[in-house]
Amino acid sequence: SLLKQFSEGHSVDLGERVIVVGGGYAALDAARTALRMGSGKVTIMYRRALEDMPAGRGEVEEALAEGVEVRVQSLPTAILSRRGRVSGLRCTRTKMGRRDKGGRRPFMVIEGTEFEVEADSIIAAVGQEPELSWLPENYPLGRTRRNALTVNEKLATSVEGVFAAGDVVTGPSSVVEAMASGKRAAQSVHQFLSIREGSR
């Protein structure tokens, strides 16, 4: 909602100190947007290590260069308030485990390492997944656990003639990657239609 308001030209007073919770592209975008809206100190809190952030390394480096602080292995546990307003975030330190078969490293809480960070605003940018409520109920498209659509190497779904691309397939990604995916899907659609036309 913050990014939408900013793109529509609206200004939001987030205060001087802003915390963004998350490690994906939306979190990086929100943090950089908060700086552009006038906040003086913007901190990203991410529960895993820097190399495990879903956002691309280039995006992270650009955010750091712009002035965003990134605090990794910091798990939010409570939002703090004072006189009915947000005053900060309580976190605890984490440590990383070994990578699983999918390449993901689990994290574990380090007991006794709680700390607090003051904030005027907290932006949650976690748990993104595609919005598929527009699809008819029980429509036979294959989906992943995170509600993304499953496709083959040609970006074809489990329904003949239906292709998918971008974030609805990969999950949160960059605009460049989404556009490249869309181009590949368009080529597959063209090939699919050409074969059907030729068989008539």
Side-chain angles (χ1 to χ4, degrees), residues 36-86:
R36 293 176 190 133
M37 284 181 164
S39 298
K41 182 176 182 183
V42 180
T43 306
I44 288 177
M45 292 290 186
Y46 181 58
R47 60 188 178 174
R48 290 186 164 90
L50 188 64
E51 59 268 25
D52 295 308
M53 289 182 78
R57 181 52 61 93
E59 289 277 335
V60 175
E61 290 175 354
E62 287 177 14
L64 290 169
E66 204 166 325
V68 173
E69 179 185 1
V70 178
R71 297 185 69 167
V72 295
Q73 294 179 238
S74 301
L75 176 68
T77 58
I79 294 176
L80 308 175
S81 63
R82 188 181 302 121
R83 294 189 292 277
R85 291 184 60 85
V86 167

Side-chain angles (χ1 to χ4, degrees), residues 161-172:
V162 178
F163 296 79
D167 290 11
V168 76
V169 172
T170 63

Side-chain angles (χ1 to χ4, degrees), residues 45-48 71-78 89-95 107-117:
M45 292 290 186
Y46 181 58
R47 60 188 178 174
R48 290 186 164 90
R71 297 185 69 167
V72 295
Q73 294 179 238
S74 301
L75 176 68
T77 58
L89 192 67
R90 181 178 297 128
C91 301
T92 186
R93 298 280 181 204
T94 65
K95 60 182 177 181
F107 67 88
M108 292 151 280
V109 170
I110 303 174
E111 298 296 335
T113 60
E114 284 197 339
F115 64 96
E116 296 179 357
V117 181

Side-chain angles (χ1 to χ4, degrees), residues 12-40:
V12 181
D13 183 10
L14 297 171
E16 178 68 14
R17 301 160 302 181
V18 176
I19 292 176
V20 179
V21 178
Y25 288 100
L28 272 291
D29 286 346
R32 297 171 75 179
T33 298
L35 284 177
R36 293 176 190 133
M37 284 181 164
S39 298

